[in-house]
Amino acid sequence: MINKIIHKQLNVIRQTNMPDYDREVAGFSWDAARALLGWFPDGKLNIAYEAIDRHLQNGNGGNVALRWIAKDGSRKDFTYRDLSEMSNRFANLLRSLGIKKGDRIYSLLGRVPELYTAALGTLKAGCVFCPMFSAFGPEPIKSRMEIGGANVLITTRKLYKRNVEAFRNDLPELKEILIIDGDGSDGGLRNLTALMAAAEEDFRIEAMAPEDTALLHFTSGTTGKPKGAVHVHEAVVAHHITGRIALDLRPDDIYWCTADPGWITGTSYGIIAPFTNGVTMIVDEAEFDVNRWYQILAEERVTVWYTAPTAIRMLMKAGSDLVKSRDLSHLRFMASVGEPLNPEAVIWSADTFGMPFHDNWWQTETGGIMIANYASVDVKPGSMGKPLPGIRAAIVEKSDNGVREITKPLGIGELALQAGWPSMMRGYLHEDERYRKCFSNGWYLSGDLAMRDSDGYFWFVGRSDDVIKSAGHLIGPFEVESALMEHAAVAEVAVIGIPDETAGEIVKAFVALKPGYVPGEDLRLDLIGHARKRLGPAVAPKDIAFRKNLPKTRSGKIMRRLLKARELGLPEGDISTLESDEQ
Ligand code: WT7
């Protein structure tokens, strides 16, 4: 733990949305947060109304909502009114295809404008939106579409051909595939652009009950298929207030969230919270590039920037001169999420940008930011910060009847949150048991290990499971293992995360071969190629090592933990259940 504290200056503190954290905590109520939004009669609401159309009613329809930067660098602005009309068209288009309230609309798209209008239009129509990451291969896509019972898919011709076509007929609930490019004359694909042009511009937004499902976000566990976390319309109450308090968003902000909507950060804070707070949001279609990113920050005069540790570490490597040679004077708040942010990176940013990255913590399951460093609060580099007003966080340990709180400062235990905030997941789709296991004595158990210091700051310690975090993306070892098991040469496989300076962790697989197969470079590359084809580059292992056997428990479970300890030269821990071992 680094003792250095980055103090906030009074002139900064005064101008923030939350000048006094302790006062906000003491006075906070979720009902007051609810009252910040628009609502329909009878306690109904709709996320898309709160995000877009509410601003039209308030006379702000002409403000730029979305500035899209294409890969080639060209820009396109969409006002709140534009997004209102386009999402209306999309909602009407769904109706014209016979799509009803509650149906599931999936996207498999890069960061293009259609993704944003589809998300908003889906919500307006009372349907459930499920964004998928465009770097997924057919396996993760198929399991997500199967579990959620996808009714409509919006994608491109290329992504469809490469990743969906082969299993299209295995999905009986999938009614329509809309592609944003081409005429779609073959294979029953429909042309989204033509349908949008033909659709009506007015739409009566569905008034939804607070508990109606709005979004489905998949996340990975240690075992089994991905889990579909269900989020409801009322989640917008948390998106809005956390955007305001944790990201300090205001209507005159130029805000850039670098996350892809295929992951929840890119939806909660890359669509909903920025729009409910009325900002101008930057979306860059291209992938990470140091010079491009600094150019966007400077040219677009970004004021609030929300990004992730892997990118920050890459910027750090590229050096401070690149920052100092540009005019970034309009930047006033920078935040980070998704993986541990090293204290060095926080100190580097404070020295280089004149303000630190503010680390915050949350999960797919929590729907929104739960623990954060705030614009008005001193930063302890390496700490995730303090709980959001309205959120009670604790460190707990298992006890005879459930869990009990560890109150001793710096005691390590599982990070838990008192259940009941608006953006909390309402279930894992079709997996009640897995969902129930997340709760004990009214606490939601995060699966992360953490500690709290005597000033109330929380510190991330590690995950309590085998799930891998690579470049901010959660990867379930079981999904990767299953894909490798399909290969004819593979007898056994175990997948772990290996620490990596830039990506946090990278995926590594240990493989035992079937008789008749010989380890070697050709086979290694073949296995990596197979995994990339099945899983996509975001999920596939970067490295594969061959073993004669893998360490297993007496019950036959492969001990990933032991493989990892050996790989890293760490103590092997309790190996009393070890039955067979590697050779
Ligand atoms: C897991 C959740 C972040 C929301 C979108 C990703 C890790 C998240 C931090 C942080 C250390 C972090 C945790 C968590 N994580 N933020 N500030 N410091 N670790 O959500 O994909 O569901 O991942 O990301 O392990 O449980 P997700």
Side-chain angles (χ1 to χ4, degrees), residues 120-199:
L120 295 163
T122 296
L123 295 168
K124 282 188 172 179
C127 301
V128 178
F129 190 65
C130 179
M132 295 186 292
F133 191 42
S134 59
F136 278 154
E139 278 306 314
I141 293 169
K142 185 180 179 197
S143 54
R144 281 158 179 77
M145 291 181 73
E146 245 167 19
I147 294 167
N151 302 115
V152 176
L153 174 69
I154 307 139
T155 186
T156 65
R157 172 178 295 276
K158 193 164 140 202
L159 289 172
Y160 171 74
K161 289 270 174 211
R162 195 201 298 160
N163 295 316
V164 182
E165 191 172 36
F167 60 81
R168 198 239 170 282
N169 295 328
D170 302 344
L171 300 173
E173 290 186 79
L174 181 59
K175 290 190 211 134
E176 300 288 351
I177 295 168
L178 311 178
I179 57 166
I180 65 168
D181 51 349
D183 59 13
S185 52
D186 62 318
L189 309 180
R190 285 184 196 266
N191 178 346
L192 179 76
T193 320
L195 289 171
M196 283 284 278

Side-chain angles (χ1 to χ4, degrees), residues 290-291 294 315 318-326 328:
V290 177
N291 284 311
Y294 283 136
L315 295 174
S320 305
D321 291 350
L322 289 171
V323 181
K324 295 191 168 141
S325 65
R326 281 192 173 79
L328 302 181

Side-chain angles (χ1 to χ4, degrees), residues 547-561:
R547 293 284 186 274
K548 275 218 177 86
N549 291 296
L550 298 177
K552 281 195 272 314
T553 62
R554 283 192 199 110
S555 56
K557 255 173 95 174
I558 295 174
M559 295 176 81
R560 297 191 189 104
R561 182 178 57 77

Side-chain angles (χ1 to χ4, degrees), residues 265 337-340 359-360 362-364 448 460 463 469 474:
T265 308
V337 73
E339 7 154 11
D359 187 17
N360 57 54
W362 56 291
Q363 304 178 304
T364 302
D448 280 354
F460 183 78
R463 290 191 58 95
K469 245 292 144 116
L474 269 195

